[in-house]
Amino acid sequence: RAKDQGRNTVQIYTPSMEIDSSNRFVLESELREACLRKEFLVMYQPVFDSGSGEITGVEALVRWRRRDGTLVAPNDFIPLAEETGLIVEIGEFVFRTACRDWKHLSRAAGRPLRLAINLSPRQFRDEHLTAMILQALRENDVDPHYLEVEVTEGALIGDWDGAAEVLSRLREPGIHIAIDDFGIGYSGFAYLRHIAVDRLKIDRSFVGDIGHDIGNPALAGALIALARGLHISVTAEGVENENQLAFLQDQGCHEVQGFYLGRPMPVDESVSFFEKERHAASPEKQTAIATL
Ligand code: C2E
Ligand code: MG
Ligand code: MG
Ligand code: MG
């Protein structure tokens, strides 16, 4: 057991630590191959209204499904996909798949769900982005109002005018914009004066500070107050326990997302999860939310 091996020999391995040049070459050609064969999987994590406990939407989260069946987490291949530009192709797969799955998920939930999809900086700057998204929506009869794209501050900084232009092109047909991992960027908040956003997603590190001796929930509370003061919807991500949920509700955080409420699941599992939430008289999580 790792514990028996002493404090200085923590056995943690992640593929991203191993990307030296030869490994990188192998990984890159495998990723290219995966793009050709569309060997990716889109998972959906439910997002909840923190007042009613109802499911308001899903966030699409991609995984690389290797030939041996193992799933590679985005943090272990998105950086390489960004560097190589393969992210544009992977992104298109995610949009097409998620738009196709949207009606099944919405039907199971009993209402049209918000569909949140992540955009990394390179995708955000791709000149065909809006056309690609609109085509994926049209082909699957999804109204653009149901789509929300999530960008990090990293995609915006550097070229604010360019970013504002991309955002207005997305907003024009009704697509919503969320700032992901809000609070951990280095840009300050001044851009919120100039850039119209619909939602702030508070980074899960702030949520992790809630209910722990070492962390201080003041930052999470302040970020929620900031969003509310600006009349921007606010979602907390990474909710892992009841104390965090109670605190977020108390602070008026509009929506919540996290393992405590629902993990990312493949589409068929999501459909059964949503049907269960809808049909159960007092679903466990709705009860958990309603009684707090
Ligand atoms: P993100 O957009 O901030 O997504 C939330 C991440 O937090 C997901 O990790 C999710 O599984 C994880 N998470 C959710 N609830 C909890 C919780 O209660 N506790 C903890 N510890 N984690 C939680 P995932 O799926 O590994 O994705 C990581 C990042 O990869 C995402 O962060 C996003 O930036 C990126 N990503 C995922 N899918 C896509 C995609 O299709 N395109 C692009 N460009 N990036 C993606
Ligand atoms: Mg996200
Ligand atoms: Mg995030
Ligand atoms: Mg993140």
Side-chain angles (χ1 to χ4, degrees):
R1 299 197 336 256
K3 208 177 163 189
D4 298 328
Q5 293 166 13
R7 301 209 119 225
N8 298 320
T9 56
V10 180
Q11 308 279 301
I12 296 173
Y13 169 87
T14 69
S16 55
M17 295 164 85
E18 288 281 303
I19 305 184
D20 56 41
S21 55
S22 66
N23 250 312
R24 189 202 134 98
F25 180 78
V26 173
L27 201 61
E28 183 178 333
S29 55
E30 286 176 341
L31 192 56
R32 273 183 204 287
E33 186 85 4
C35 281
L36 289 173
R37 298 168 182 263
K38 307 271 184 279
E39 289 170 342
F40 298 95
L41 171 73
V42 181
M43 309 263 259
Y44 301 94
Q45 185 176 29
V47 181
F48 298 80
D49 181 290
S50 63
S52 68
E54 287 189 341
I55 295 165
T56 54
V58 288
E59 177 172 4
L61 296 161
V62 71
R63 274 92 183 93
W64 172 8
R65 183 168 31 200
R66 305 195 75 134
R67 226 81 60 76
D68 64 4
T70 54
L71 295 182
V72 184
N75 291 339
D76 292 324
F77 70 92
I78 299 269
L80 183 63
E82 266 287 296
E83 264 177 63
T84 54
L86 290 168
I87 190 65
V88 171
E89 229 176 296
I90 297 170
E92 183 167 349
F93 174 84
V94 172
F95 273 90
R96 288 168 158 264
T97 305
C99 287
R100 195 194 60 214
D101 289 341
W102 175 83
K103 54 180 160 306
H104 302 296
L105 298 167
S106 293
R107 201 177 296 140
R111 83 188 75 98
L113 295 173
R114 184 188 324 118
L115 175 62
I117 301 186
N118 294 283
L119 287 179
S120 47
R122 182 112 173 211
Q123 289 176 276
F124 187 72
R125 300 286 173 177
D126 181 59
E127 56 173 324
H128 305 297
L129 175 73
T130 316
M132 179 278 282
I133 293 178
L134 291 177
Q135 191 181 341
L137 292 167
R138 206 179 314 115
E139 279 173 2
N140 295 282
D141 272 321
V142 183
D143 189 300
H145 290 94
Y146 295 123
L147 179 66
E148 188 163 273
V149 293
E150 299 189 358
V151 295
T152 56
E153 290 168 355
L156 308 176
I157 52 172
D159 175 15
W160 291 103
D161 292 341
E165 210 178 294
V166 177
L167 292 179
S168 66
R169 240 182 289 141
L170 290 166
R171 292 177 71 92
E172 208 265 325
I175 296 167
H176 292 102
I177 312 288
I179 303 294
D180 205 352
D181 303 343
F182 184 69
I184 58 164
Y186 347 77
S187 54
F189 302 138
Y191 69 93
L192 292 172
R193 274 207 291 258
H194 310 294
I195 280 185
V197 301
D198 302 285
R199 180 179 307 279
L200 299 178
K201 295 192 75 173
I202 297 180
D203 189 71
R204 69 165 186 262
S205 60
F206 300 107
V207 176
D209 285 338
I210 303 167
H212 283 285
D213 301 339
I214 37 166
N216 188 330
L219 284 169
L223 293 173
I224 292 165
L226 173 68
R228 292 186 61 98
L230 294 168
H231 304 289
I232 301 174
S233 297
V234 55
T235 301
E237 48 183 28
V239 180
E240 292 185 348
N241 61 54
E242 197 181 320
N243 292 338
Q244 293 168 346
L245 177 61
F247 179 87
L248 293 163
Q249 289 176 313
D250 195 50
Q251 300 291 308
C253 188
H254 300 117
E255 300 196 1
V256 285
Q257 177 181 0
F259 293 167
Y260 178 62
L261 301 156
R263 290 186 171 258
M265 294 167 276
V267 62
D268 48 338
E269 247 179 77
S270 298
V271 163
S272 2
F273 180 91
F274 291 178
E275 282 172 346
K276 233 189 287 163
E277 292 271 315
R278 181 156 63 103
H279 292 304
S282 53
E284 187 189 323
K285 292 304 180 266
Q286 282 190 23
T287 307
I289 287 176
T291 54
L292 279 165

